[in-house]
Amino acid sequence: MDIVQLRQRHYIDFMKSMHIENYLDDQFTQLQKLADESSPDFVYEVVTLFFQDSEKLIDNLSKALEQPVVDFSQVANHAHQFKGSSSSIGAHRVKNQCVKFRAYCEENNLEGCLNCLQELQQEYIVLKSKFEYLFELEQEILKNGGTIPTMD
Amino acid sequence: MAIKKMEHGDQTLVQDFDPAKMDPAPIRDEYAPVIFCQRTVAHIVSIDMMSGKEDRDNILRARATGKGVLTSPFKLLKSNHLGVVLTFAVYGRQLPPDATPEQRIAATVGYLGASYDLRSLVEKILQQLASKQTIVVNVYDTTNLSAPINMYGTDVIDTGFLHVSSLDFGDPTRNHEMHCRFKNRPSPPWTAILSAGGVLTISLLLSHILHAAINRIVKVEEDCQKMTELKARAEAADVAKSQFLATVSHEIRTPMNGVLGMLQMLMDTDLDADQIDYAQTAHASGKDLISIINEVLDQAKIESGRLELEAVPFDLRNTLDNVVSLFSGKSREKAIELAVYVSSKVPEIVIGDPGRFRQIITNLVGNSVKFTKNKGHIFVSVHLADEVRLPSDMMDEVLRQGLNSSKDGSERNTLSDYAIVDRWKSWANFKQLGGKETPVTSEVIKLLVTVEDTGSGIPQDAQSRIFTPFMQADSSTSRHYGGTGIGLSISKCLVDLMGGEIGFVSEENKGSTFSFTALLMRGQLDSVDPKWHTHETSISELKGLRALVIDKRSTRAEVTRYHLQRLGISADVVSSLHSAFSVITNTSSASTLAPLAMVLIDREVWEKEPVIEMRRLLTDAMSNSSMDRVPKIFLLATSLSPPERSELKSSHLVDDIISKPLRLSVLTGCFHEAFSNGRKRQLNRAKPATLGSLLKGKLILVVDDNAVNRKVAEGALKKYGAIVTCVDSGIAAVNKLDPPHNFDACFMDLQMPKMDGFEATRKIRQKEIEFNGQLDSRESFPNVSCWHTPILAMTADVIQATNEECMKCGMDGYVSKPFEEEQLYSAVACFFKSR
């Protein structure tokens, strides 16, 4: 097996594992299908946008929770935003965390929120690193003349 | 005159008393002869008064006492009645009161006597005392108490009451008494007794009646009170029941929606055939359950009187199309001919409650579909109630056919080959069908809607019960046919609320026809949100075209003609392929008539050979005349088996197959494709491709404050060929959608800061209304009669999504975020060309 195939095989396996571990769900697959000749880097663009957006949101969340008087509705709004964007790209675990976060907000449970925020950050960091790895793989495959395999 | 002596013991009778026969008085010392006397006692003249023993005593006593003296009773001379004599002594000189008897005797010069005939005396007195009862009087001399002398009166008869009164004749030495009694015992006073008895009885009876009446009143009042209490309890129970039903139904609906949503999501995942089958069955059952709950809720609402009808303008024909669409699949499955017809006299826009109106018709058609087995037809027709009274030649064709179907023997002139019951019987009992009670204003119209089927009919004994809630024709109905039996009762209530009446006629194994009337108002043409405005572009191409309909059943042909008319296509009807030939050849030569653009052939008259012939004729005609293209041939069929379908397609005899039941959407889709040289129609409905054909080239605005969401939505829509613009706030969206603009649709996120989706939509609608008001759209925008951009909400919480909220602010639907293909398709299909 040549390097491209190897890489491709690896790519598929990695992708599969991300799905199995619920880091990604079906929506991501749909997203991949949207990429075509006119926008080949569609997925990359979306994911990058997601990272930027997420960092901003996490920042907002931590600031909001550091306030002397916490405005839970504001926090809930941020969490909702995050939930929206994560579900749009199919970031399943992140989305679930956001759902939990919102529940804590509704209970006005500060400690719960803080814990959740930590977990959320964790999830996000893990996801980001996985994506970065994925993109590296993609670049390698493309560099070596292969095509990125699609998940079916 | 000689002094005579008184007789003693005179037993002589009166007439025998002859003074002449009396003996002269014996020699004595003194004599007291009667010198003067009354004439009545003339017979005692010259009789010596002292000759009688009593008289003598009497006289001597009188002389001695100086007072009046009475004798004891004795028989008087001549009359022989008992009597007494009163004697007074007359003195020669005045005597002092204390004079001695000797002095008195010495002074006596004479005597004065009076005899009292007691009998006559008493009787005379008695006469004055006469009463009804005979009074018996006894007069006694009671000087000697132990031996009273009876002076007058018969022997004593003791008859009870005795009245004793003393008589004073003036002689103190003697006492007399008078005893009075009734001769007869007083008879019992029957009158008094009877009257008393009568009065007593009457008063007893009266008091009894009174008593009974009072008792009854008291009892009735008690009963009434009990009843009022019970009534209040029953009413409370009823209200409680309605509330309970409403609450429970609502509570059931929420998790039910959850179940359905989940099933939907399940069906979108990877499932094998079995699993899909199970999931679909579960989904269908869930949907049935929800519709039952809705019906129950409706029933509860109606019972508690809280059901209110809306009054919005809507397109009647559109609504009927929707109903037909609902049942198109089912009717096709059962090979039942389903058709709808609206008379040209019914206005385009009416004001009423479209949802409830549709509900009634859906219920009736649903019943018809349920109870019609694999044959015959279901025909929905709408007319003005007044049309029924028009003379036959002014009536529209459908109505005339319907009314005459059983009269002129050609029973088979119905929609399908099957006989139907007389439709006029279903409204025969309506009190208000047209006639004097039609309302005065011209704004109010009364519609007559008839749903006729050739199903199994309703058995005679069940017919009286069918409008009762929860009753079905017989106990096995729900088992065989499903349903709860509320539909008709709800329909009846809704019809009543609409000021109409509902009735039916049914014969077992022949069919049933239900009819109802409803009062609606005429509406203005531009008042409705024309969801079909996007159709105008396609419709405008078809306006003015001519069509030829070949169908041997005139009612069915009328239905086809009606639908064509809605598109602005005028249609001629012939009943057979052969007669069509002559029409084609004639019209091609007549150049004044508009060219024939299409021929619609019903499957029933379809024969391969004549159609081939026709195609040839048409091609010839085209070349002969000014037609720029060959008229298209369409086949109208309810259901075709796949082999038939593919055979027809491959033979290229027809340009397309139009599936019945006919609806505007079906026809426009077909025609548009046929006449605009569009892309090839795919028979197998792969959804993405269809979605693509819907969205291709459309200008879509995506509104979301989140960059990721925007990007994903844009990508998804671009995939289907849409041209997407993104904005990140509600305010920007309002600006972009300020008419006039070029966008075909908008996807709007609901939760955005500063201005959320609801508010943005409201503002956009506001601007549209203003714009429509100012614009004379006919000039500048020939294809669009008024602005209404379809706005769809994007929401992450589909299960909790409140459809009502979205509708209220003017949205046209909602899709989930992230997009799901099927949902997107069904939401968008309303606005863009649909099949």
Side-chain angles (χ1 to χ4, degrees):
Chain A
M1 248 190 299
D2 76 330
I3 190 164
V4 173
Q5 279 180 328
L6 216 65
R7 288 281 184 269
Q8 281 175 334
R9 172 74 72 76
H10 190 57
Y11 183 88
I12 292 172
D13 288 339
F14 191 72
M15 206 45 127
K16 271 214 182 107
S17 74
M18 279 185 85
H19 276 268
I20 289 170
E21 289 166 26
N22 273 332
Y23 282 100
L24 294 175
D25 60 24
D26 198 41
Q27 177 60 18
F28 188 75
T29 325
Q30 299 286 342
L31 216 67
Q32 286 182 309
K33 287 191 192 159
L34 293 180
D36 58 12
E37 310 80 46
S38 58
S39 50
D41 295 328
F42 181 68
V43 180
Y44 180 75
E45 285 167 15
V46 178
V47 175
T48 319
L49 208 55
F50 173 68
F51 289 153
Q52 290 170 356
D53 197 50
S54 307
E55 264 147 51
K56 197 170 56 171
L57 280 169
I58 291 179
D59 202 30
N60 286 345
L61 277 169
S62 13
K63 281 218 182 70
L65 286 173
E66 279 166 22
Q67 298 293 325
V69 178
V70 176
D71 180 1
F72 280 104
S73 60
Q74 180 76 326
V75 179
N77 269 344
H78 289 309
H80 180 73
Q81 282 263 325
F82 205 168
K83 174 175 163 242
S85 56
S86 53
S87 60
S88 283
I89 69 154
H92 198 86
R93 286 170 84 131
V94 174
K95 184 187 79 174
N96 286 347
Q97 277 296 91
C98 293
V99 174
K100 271 204 282 194
F101 205 102
R102 275 199 76 188
Y104 282 125
C105 286
E106 266 163 49
E107 292 169 19
N108 287 0
N109 184 343
L110 182 59
E111 197 174 302
C113 285
L114 287 168
N115 283 340
C116 221
L117 181 62
Q118 260 194 335
E119 286 177 21
L120 193 58
Q121 273 173 313
Q122 269 308 99
E123 289 289 343
Y124 169 72
I125 289 168
V126 169
L127 186 67
K128 183 166 178 188
S129 59
K130 284 197 187 263
F131 266 125
E132 280 165 357
Y133 183 69
L134 212 63
F135 290 140
E136 269 180 37
L137 269 181
E138 281 187 5
Q139 290 301 324
E140 272 208 40
I141 295 172
L142 287 172
K143 212 168 46 185
N144 289 321
T147 51
I148 300 170
T150 44
M151 304 289 295
D152 260 325
Chain B
M1 168 198 319
I3 299 172
K4 305 253 171 29
K5 171 179 139 182
M6 223 187 304
E7 296 274 354
H8 277 285
D10 9 288
Q11 263 80 28
T12 51
L13 297 168
V14 171
Q15 52 261 43
D16 286 351
F17 189 76
D18 184 6
K21 287 193 187 146
M22 296 187 92
D23 304 327
I27 311 285
R28 290 245 186 313
D29 290 339
E30 287 178 82
Y31 295 97
V34 177
I35 306 169
F36 294 113
C37 62
Q38 273 183 293
R39 196 164 349 128
T40 49
V41 289
H43 57 273
I44 57 172
V45 163
S46 78
I47 295 179
D48 178 14
M49 285 282 118
M50 288 179 94
S51 56
K53 182 178 179 310
E54 287 89 5
D55 291 311
R56 183 189 158 85
D57 291 335
N58 222 30
I59 290 166
L60 294 174
R61 205 160 27 134
R63 172 167 82 187
T65 58
K67 297 196 166 82
V69 177
L70 274 176
T71 60
S72 54
F74 66 95
K75 285 200 169 40
L76 290 173
L77 294 172
K78 188 168 183 187
S79 65
N80 264 337
H81 292 164
L82 269 180
V84 294
V85 174
L86 181 70
T87 314
F88 281 97
V90 178
Y91 300 110
R93 55 184 165 92
Q94 190 77 14
L95 283 176
D98 56 353
T100 60
E102 293 77 26
Q103 285 174 321
R104 290 185 193 273
I105 292 168
T108 304
V109 291
Y111 310 100
L112 199 65
S115 70
Y116 293 100
D117 180 344
L118 274 173
R119 180 190 281 188
S120 49
L121 185 70
V122 172
E123 274 168 14
K124 284 209 166 56
I125 294 173
L126 278 185
Q127 256 179 1
Q128 292 171 14
L129 295 177
S131 69
K132 286 230 160 82
Q133 290 260 7
T134 320
I135 299 179
V136 173
V137 178
N138 283 66
V139 183
Y140 295 100
D141 180 335
T142 52
T143 313
N144 188 355
L145 272 172
S146 53
I149 307 166
N150 186 11
M151 290 162 65
Y152 170 81
T154 53
D155 286 333
V156 176
I157 308 164
D158 183 8
T159 56
F161 293 114
L162 182 70
H163 186 75
V164 176
S165 37
S166 60
L167 293 171
D168 184 8
F169 286 105
D171 184 358
T173 52
R174 293 198 182 276
N175 294 321
H176 298 88
E177 274 180 4
M178 184 160 83
H179 290 188
C180 300
R181 70 182 77 77
F182 286 110
K183 182 168 185 164
N184 303 315
R185 278 191 162 234
S187 56
W190 286 122
T191 319
I193 289 175
L194 285 174
S195 328
V199 167
L200 186 68
T201 316
I202 288 173
S203 56
L204 274 176
L205 285 172
L206 275 176
S207 67
H208 178 72
I209 289 173
L210 208 63
H211 182 70
I214 290 177
N215 271 355
R216 179 130 184 83
I217 289 175
V218 166
K219 182 165 178 304
V220 166
E221 268 180 9
E222 274 177 12
D223 279 346
C224 187
Q225 205 175 3
K226 264 191 247 166
M227 289 304 162
T228 319
E229 249 176 78
L230 284 174
K231 176 173 173 250
R233 287 218 321 239
E235 279 173 355
D238 193 43
V239 166
K241 176 202 90 180
S242 292
Q243 280 181 341
F244 168 74
L245 272 180
T247 317
V248 165
S249 306
H250 187 71
E251 296 298 322
I252 294 178
R253 253 207 311 216
T254 316
M256 210 46 228
N257 278 326
V259 168
L260 283 181
M262 285 301 144
L263 280 172
Q264 190 64 47
M265 299 218 279
L266 181 69
M267 288 198 278
D268 286 339
T269 61
D270 257 329
L271 299 172
D272 65 35
D274 272 342
Q275 290 170 327
I276 286 189
D277 185 31
Y278 297 153
Q280 279 177 340
T281 315
H283 194 258
S285 303
K287 285 218 287 237
D288 280 344
L289 187 58
I290 290 228
S291 76
I292 291 177
I293 292 174
N294 283 336
E295 280 189 333
V296 171
L297 259 183
D298 267 353
Q299 185 73 12
K301 257 198 230 166
I302 287 173
E303 276 181 13
S304 59
R306 278 183 290 133
L307 198 72
E308 274 174 14
L309 292 180
E310 284 187 315
V312 297
F314 66 99
D315 183 341
L316 199 74
R317 293 167 175 80
N318 209 0
T319 308
L320 284 166
D321 271 1
N322 287 341
V323 175
V324 163
S325 302
L326 269 177
F327 292 104
S328 63
K330 237 282 76 153
S331 67
R332 240 180 253 145
E333 243 177 67
K334 285 185 160 187
I336 302 172
E337 178 106 30
L338 175 59
V340 65
Y341 175 86
V342 180
S343 145
S344 50
K345 294 203 172 47
V346 175
E348 245 194 77
I349 308 288
V350 291
I351 300 180
D353 189 330
R356 297 293 177 186
F357 189 73
R358 185 170 50 227
Q359 190 176 356
I360 302 171
I361 301 182
T362 308
N363 175 249
L364 293 176
V365 175
N367 282 345
S368 291
V369 169
K370 232 197 282 184
F371 291 102
T372 306
K373 298 186 184 59
N374 309 349
K375 61 176 175 96
H377 67 265
I378 298 172
F379 185 32
V380 182
S381 56
V382 181
H383 296 269
L384 287 183
D386 289 337
E387 286 183 61
V388 170
R389 288 180 306 139
L390 288 173
S392 178
D393 50 346
M394 285 178 61
M395 256 192 224
D396 83 356
E397 187 65 29
V398 166
L399 197 58
R400 188 167 357 134
Q401 296 289 357
L403 291 177
N404 292 337
S405 65
S406 59
K407 286 183 193 158
D408 59 6
S410 58
E411 245 202 87
R412 298 301 167 105
N413 204 358
T414 64
L415 194 71
S416 68
D417 197 25
Y418 292 88
I420 47 163
V421 290
D422 292 329
R423 64 162 58 194
W424 62 268
K425 279 195 194 146
S426 63
W427 66 65
N429 289 331
F430 283 4
K431 298 185 190 76
Q432 290 182 14
L433 193 69
K436 293 138 203 142
E437 291 164 57
T438 35
V440 179
T441 59
S442 62
E443 288 311 305
V444 182
I445 50 171
K446 186 186 289 212
L447 291 178
L448 174 66
V449 181
T450 311
V451 176
E452 158 194 299
D453 71 52
T454 57
S456 51
I458 304 172
Q460 200 61 31
D461 51 352
Q463 286 193 5
S464 51
R465 299 188 260 131
I466 60 168
F467 288 116
T468 324
F470 300 110
M471 288 275 194
Q472 288 182 304
D474 78 74
S475 49
S476 65
T477 309
S478 74
R479 211 175 351 110
H480 289 148
Y481 297 106
T484 44
I486 317 182
L488 275 175
S489 98
I490 293 182
S491 298
K492 183 173 192 314
C493 289
L494 290 174
V495 166
D496 285 339
L497 277 174
M498 288 188 194
E501 299 166 88
I502 184 166
F504 69 99
V505 57
S506 176
E507 267 175 61
E508 275 196 84
N509 295 323
K510 197 171 183 192
S512 322
T513 299
F514 277 77
S515 293
F516 71 92
T517 53
L519 289 175
L520 298 167
M521 302 231 284
R522 225 172 266 275
Q524 302 305 315
L525 250 156
D526 54 357
S527 57
V528 165
D529 284 344
K531 294 207 169 145
W532 300 94
H533 89 281
T534 37
H535 275 265
E536 303 265 349
T537 28
S538 41
I539 289 175
S540 62
E541 291 172 6
L542 302 168
K543 265 205 178 84
L545 293 180
R546 258 187 69 224
L548 180 65
V549 175
I550 308 175
D551 190 337
K552 75 179 196 195
R553 300 202 174 283
S554 58
T555 315
R556 195 167 50 190
E558 283 304 308
V559 172
T560 314
R561 186 209 290 241
Y562 150 73
H563 282 288
L564 289 170
Q565 258 173 359
R566 284 170 77 185
L567 292 171
I569 303 172
S570 60
D572 299 315
V573 175
V574 294
S575 55
S576 75
L577 286 168
H578 290 278
S579 21
F581 292 159
S582 42
V583 170
I584 294 171
T585 39
N586 286 345
T587 51
S588 60
S589 45
S591 52
T592 48
L593 287 171
L596 197 62
M598 61 181 94
V599 179
L600 295 108
I601 310 177
D602 190 274
R603 177 150 172 240
E604 218 182 327
V605 295
W606 175 273
E607 279 169 67
K608 194 158 178 191
E609 304 308 321
V611 174
I612 296 176
E613 170 77 15
M614 182 181 296
R615 216 176 232 292
R616 196 180 55 75
L617 268 177
L618 286 170
T619 327
D620 287 346
M622 180 195 92
S623 50
N624 291 344
S625 75
S626 55
M627 280 192 266
D628 52 353
R629 48 187 172 186
V630 182
K632 311 266 180 202
I633 300 185
F634 297 101
L635 176 69
L636 301 165
T638 306
S639 53
L640 280 178
S641 60
E644 283 178 304
R645 195 177 273 270
S646 50
E647 195 218 309
L648 276 168
K649 274 265 144 177
S650 56
S651 65
H652 291 291
L653 276 179
V654 289
D655 291 280
D656 210 343
I657 303 167
I658 301 181
S659 301
K660 289 206 193 172
L662 289 177
R663 293 158 274 162
L664 211 59
S665 49
V666 163
L667 287 174
T668 44
C670 245
F671 292 159
H672 192 77
E673 205 193 279
F675 288 104
S676 63
N677 309 320
R679 65 221 128 269
K680 232 164 59 159
R681 175 137 178 251
Q682 285 156 311
L683 278 177
N684 41 326
R685 300 156 173 267
K687 289 262 172 63
T690 335
L691 189 58
S693 64
L694 281 182
L695 288 175
K696 188 155 181 146
K698 296 277 187 284
L699 244 66
I700 312 254
L701 181 69
V702 169
V703 187
D704 196 320
D705 60 325
N706 181 286
V708 176
N709 294 343
R710 278 201 302 274
K711 186 118 183 125
V712 170
E714 184 185 19
L717 289 170
K718 271 195 181 148
K719 173 172 147 193
Y720 299 116
I723 303 167
V724 182
T725 311
C726 294
V727 292
D728 66 354
S729 69
I731 301 167
V734 173
N735 285 336
K736 282 268 182 208
L737 291 179
D738 197 0
H741 62 76
N742 290 328
F743 288 106
D744 295 296
C746 167
F747 286 88
M748 173 100 68
D749 182 29
L750 285 179
Q751 264 142 322
M752 294 187 283
K754 290 200 218 97
M755 189 190 288
D756 67 13
F758 297 113
E759 208 190 318
T761 311
R762 267 184 237 122
K763 284 215 158 62
I764 293 167
R765 295 289 176 232
Q766 186 66 28
K767 289 207 170 174
E768 282 177 351
I769 290 172
E770 282 169 15
F771 187 76
N772 290 333
Q774 295 162 6
L775 188 65
D776 184 325
S777 52
R778 252 163 260 287
E779 292 166 9
S780 358
F781 298 96
N783 293 339
V784 176
S785 58
C786 89
W787 279 96
H788 179 97
T789 319
I791 299 183
L792 294 167
M794 292 196 292
T795 149
D797 286 328
V798 152
I799 295 173
Q800 306 289 337
T802 44
N803 200 7
E804 287 172 27
E805 273 281 331
C806 292
M807 293 307 153
K808 250 194 250 179
C809 62
M811 293 193 172
D812 299 285
Y814 62 84
V815 292
S816 66
K817 187 164 68 161
F819 292 148
E820 276 162 32
E821 236 167 307
E822 190 189 304
Q823 207 197 35
L824 193 59
Y825 171 74
S826 52
V828 167
C830 295
F831 313 110
F832 303 136
K833 285 190 307 268
S834 58
R835 312 268 143 126

